Amino acid sequence: MKNYLDATNDLYKNAALTPDVGLCCTTTPIWKFPGLEIPKIMQEMNYGCGSTISAQDLINNPKVLYVGVGGGMELLQFAYFSRQKGGVIGVDVVDEMLEASRKNFKIAEDENDWFKSEFVELKKGDALNLPIEDESIDVAAQNCLFNIFKAEDLKKALQEMYRVLKPHGRLVMSDPTCEQEMNETLRNDDHLRALCLSGSIPIKDYIKALTDVGFGTIEIRGRRPYRILDTENYPTDELIFIESIEVCAIKDPMPEDGPCVFTGKAAIYFGKENYFDDKKGHVLLKNQPLAVCDKTAGALASLNRKDIYISESTFHYNGGGCC
């Protein structure tokens, strides 16, 4: 008997055999770096909803794991920063997608003098049971895959990513999210789930899934419009707005008072002194914004000071914060 993930495998098997340019859509630019040429076929097979590539994560020749290889574009981008044999590992359960990526890497070799296919090791494997050793990966990533999983499978996939990451390693993800309630017809439509639509969950639930498996620091790096489920073409009585988010979950120790979740808030001190020190490790220099996690923002707001301003969440955070 087939389960809901079989529809996903079938969809991406076909997308590997016949590239489907319109399968996914992202407003995130395709990052290009000096000396990096991304083959056209890889761009056509960019089946993500955002980007998992950030130079700040990729220092010191990291060992990178990417789950759900697509056409190999992000694997190539990761290899740009990890130019070593097997420096990037790509895992996918669909044979046809693995083979398509292998062919695409040969094209990438012709277009990039620095690139060698051996920089990327492709493995057949399941996100729920990764063929990777414990604590062997610096940066793990997935793009528009985990939103397909139902709750219990999502938990397993995140536990697997947590297991393979080194201490302080980073899990970088991009997935669709939706703040509105979806009806059961949408939720139980295997095809719409495979299309990265009806598996979308609210951001707070997405963050909770990450912190529940142990990630101590969460960064929301981007939040962008993604799709509309309208009443004419989908089984819904109301228009449903879906966004994509880019998130980094860091395998930091869990603080005693709970995880540090950065959603793009900032604190600004504008009092009479040169700085404000809350005696808990947070120093606000006068008239200089400091990015703060939601927990610190709440603690500062609770002081009820008239000389500290806390901004709303922007859902765009790229480091330099309080923790």
Side-chain angles (χ1 to χ4, degrees), residues 268-284:
I268 303 175
Y269 168 68
F270 53 93
K272 295 180 180 180
E273 306 299 328
N274 291 328
Y275 65 90
F276 170 78
D277 185 349
D278 71 350
K279 309 300 182 183
K280 296 179 180 180
H282 311 112
V283 177
L284 306 180

Side-chain angles (χ1 to χ4, degrees), residues 167-206:
H168 308 291
R170 295 173 174 232
L171 170 57
V172 189
M173 307 195 296
S174 178
D175 275 310
T177 60
C178 181
E179 301 304 314
Q180 295 167 263
E181 188 70 30
M182 286 200 191
N183 62 52
E184 288 302 305
T185 301
L186 287 169
R187 288 291 189 206
N188 294 322
D189 189 313
D190 292 349
H191 183 66
L192 291 181
R193 187 172 282 273
L195 286 172
C196 304
L197 296 174
S198 62
S200 306
I201 60 177
I203 291 175
K204 63 178 178 59
D205 295 341
Y206 192 95

Side-chain angles (χ1 to χ4, degrees), residues 228-244:
I228 291 292
L229 302 184
D230 65 89
T231 58
E232 294 293 324
N233 297 290
Y234 298 93
T236 174
D237 294 329
E238 64 170 343
L239 185 147
I240 295 176
F241 175 52
I242 299 176
E243 299 171 289
S244 69

Side-chain angles (χ1 to χ4, degrees), residues 266-310:
I268 303 175
Y269 168 68
F270 53 93
K272 295 180 180 180
E273 306 299 328
N274 291 328
Y275 65 90
F276 170 78
D277 185 349
D278 71 350
K279 309 300 182 183
K280 296 179 180 180
H282 311 112
V283 177
L284 306 180
L285 299 179
K286 186 174 181 177
N287 293 325
Q288 294 190 28
L290 175 69
V292 291
C293 70
D294 290 7
K295 182 174 58 179
T296 299
L300 291 172
S302 70
L303 299 175
N304 294 315
R305 293 182 63 105
K306 295 181 179 180
D307 55 3
I308 295 178
Y309 175 81
I310 308 294

Side-chain angles (χ1 to χ4, degrees), residues 6 11 35 38 41-42 74 82 88 90 131 157 193 239 247 266 274-275 284 295 305:
D6 291 321
L11 179 72
I38 299 175
I41 184 63
M42 285 187 174
E74 288 193 300
S82 189
V88 179
R193 187 172 282 273
L239 185 147
V247 175
N274 291 328
Y275 65 90
L284 306 180
K295 182 174 58 179
R305 293 182 63 105

Side-chain angles (χ1 to χ4, degrees), residues 15-261:
L17 296 172
T18 305
D20 186 351
V21 178
L23 183 60
C24 289
C25 177
T26 172
T27 54
T28 304
I30 295 176
W31 302 120
K32 295 185 178 181
F33 304 101
L36 172 61
E37 292 295 329
I38 299 175
K40 182 180 178 182
I41 184 63
M42 285 187 174
Q43 298 184 45
E44 292 175 348
M45 297 178 69
N46 176 23
Y47 301 140
C49 62
S51 176
T52 62
I53 309 298
S54 181
Q56 70 196 61
D57 302 323
L58 300 170
I59 58 174
N60 300 326
N61 258 359
K63 187 79 169 183
V64 179
L65 168 67
Y66 191 83
V67 180
V69 300
M73 186 186 79
E74 288 193 300
L75 291 163
L76 174 63
Q77 291 171 315
F78 278 122
Y80 180 88
F81 294 92
S82 189
R83 303 184 187 191
Q84 55 186 307
K85 184 176 181 180
V88 179
I89 301 172
V91 173
D92 205 300
V93 74
V94 180
D95 291 321
E96 291 79 4
M97 197 63 81
L98 290 168
E99 183 57 30
S101 291
R102 288 190 183 95
K103 292 178 180 178
N104 292 348
F105 289 140
K106 294 298 182 183
I107 299 172
E109 281 187 336
D110 293 337
E111 297 185 13
N112 293 274
D113 292 338
W114 59 270
F115 178 69
K116 298 178 181 179
S117 291
E118 67 179 22
F119 291 169
V120 181
E121 180 183 1
L122 294 174
K123 291 186 176 186
K124 182 169 183 178
D126 190 332
L128 307 182
N129 187 23
L130 292 171
I132 308 293
E133 295 180 3
D134 294 357
E135 297 189 353
S136 61
I137 299 297
D138 296 295
V139 177
Q142 68 83 21
N143 195 335
C144 209
L145 171 63
F146 282 15
N147 73 98
I148 293 170
F149 294 136
K150 294 182 179 179
E152 283 304 308
D153 286 337
L154 175 60
K155 181 179 179 180
K156 291 177 184 177
L158 293 176
Q159 287 173 330
E160 279 294 274
M161 290 293 218
Y162 189 89
R163 174 183 66 81
V164 303
L165 280 171
K166 297 176 183 177
H168 308 291
R170 295 173 174 232
L171 170 57
V172 189
M173 307 195 296
S174 178
D175 275 310
T177 60
C178 181
E179 301 304 314
Q180 295 167 263
E181 188 70 30
M182 286 200 191
N183 62 52
E184 288 302 305
T185 301
L186 287 169
R187 288 291 189 206
N188 294 322
D189 189 313
D190 292 349
H191 183 66
L192 291 181
R193 187 172 282 273
L195 286 172
C196 304
L197 296 174
S198 62
S200 306
I201 60 177
I203 291 175
K204 63 178 178 59
D205 295 341
Y206 192 95
I207 292 171
K208 187 175 187 301
L210 290 164
T211 58
D212 279 352
V213 302
F215 288 101
T217 302
I218 311 294
E219 302 176 351
I220 307 295
R221 293 180 170 177
R223 181 178 181 179
R224 298 175 176 87
Y226 181 62
R227 286 285 203 275
I228 291 292
L229 302 184
D230 65 89
T231 58
E232 294 293 324
N233 297 290
Y234 298 93
T236 174
D237 294 329
E238 64 170 343
L239 185 147
I240 295 176
F241 175 52
I242 299 176
E243 299 171 289
S244 69
I245 59 169
E246 295 169 5
V247 175
C248 177
I250 304 175
K251 191 177 178 179
D252 288 338
M254 182 66 70
E256 291 184 3
D257 58 350
C260 294
V261 179

